[in-house]
Amino acid sequence: MFETAGADVAFLLARVVFGGVLAFMGLNHFQNGDEMAEYAAFKGIPAPTASVLFSGGLLVFGGLSILAGVLPTVGAGALAVFLLVSAVTMHDFWNAEGEDAQTEMTQFLKNVSLSAGALVFLALAGASWPLAANVGL
């Protein structure tokens, strides 16, 4: 699967960038939890503080899972579901107006595209990943 010259390095780079960005986003949930919980409450999310902390942990776990190649089926699957659900529940641009609608649409599209990336890693989770721990594949 990764026989093309440089494919192993390109796949590692993709894992580092994709997983690293998601793990960083998860850390942000802990660093800015109060503000994020207020926003979650505004959006009608139940138990907003717990939801923010749980989603932060999920993003950190999923990102590191893909980055290291440890339990990538679980990590990528959880990320794909979370990103799609949060796109619809948190970034409902169709209910916003003006500049808020544009901001929400951008965040919605970001989450949808990131979920597609997670689905690609999920599809490849059964293969042996080059330069990875390959635990749980």
Side-chain angles (χ1 to χ4, degrees), residues 78-132:
L79 286 169
V81 170
F82 165 73
L83 289 163
L84 283 174
V85 169
S86 67
V88 174
T89 58
M90 295 296 294
H91 305 300
D92 53 343
F93 64 90
W94 51 90
N95 289 325
E97 294 182 17
E99 201 171 304
D100 288 340
Q102 183 62 48
T103 300
E104 292 295 352
M105 180 185 283
T106 299
Q107 294 302 314
F108 176 88
L109 294 173
K110 174 202 63 154
N111 279 23
V112 170
S113 62
L114 285 171
S115 71
L119 288 172
V120 170
F121 284 108
L122 180 60
L124 296 173
S128 180
W129 289 4
L131 307 171

Side-chain angles (χ1 to χ4, degrees), residues 16-117:
V16 168
V17 171
F18 187 81
V21 165
L22 288 167
F24 178 78
M25 287 170 54
L27 290 176
N28 190 43
H29 283 220
F30 297 105
Q31 294 172 333
N32 299 304
D34 292 339
E35 295 87 4
M36 294 183 97
E38 286 178 25
Y39 189 68
F42 170 74
K43 289 292 188 168
I45 303 300
T49 300
S51 295
V52 167
L53 294 175
F54 176 78
S55 61
L58 189 146
L59 286 165
V60 170
F61 165 76
L64 293 178
S65 168
I66 289 173
L67 194 149
V70 175
L71 301 174
T73 302
V74 176
L79 286 169
V81 170
F82 165 73
L83 289 163
L84 283 174
V85 169
S86 67
V88 174
T89 58
M90 295 296 294
H91 305 300
D92 53 343
F93 64 90
W94 51 90
N95 289 325
E97 294 182 17
E99 201 171 304
D100 288 340
Q102 183 62 48
T103 300
E104 292 295 352
M105 180 185 283
T106 299
Q107 294 302 314
F108 176 88
L109 294 173
K110 174 202 63 154
N111 279 23
V112 170
S113 62
L114 285 171
S115 71

Side-chain angles (χ1 to χ4, degrees), residues 8-10 12 15 67-69 129-134:
D8 55 345
V9 174
L12 173 63
R15 289 183 8 241
L67 194 149
W129 289 4
L131 307 171
N134 287 311

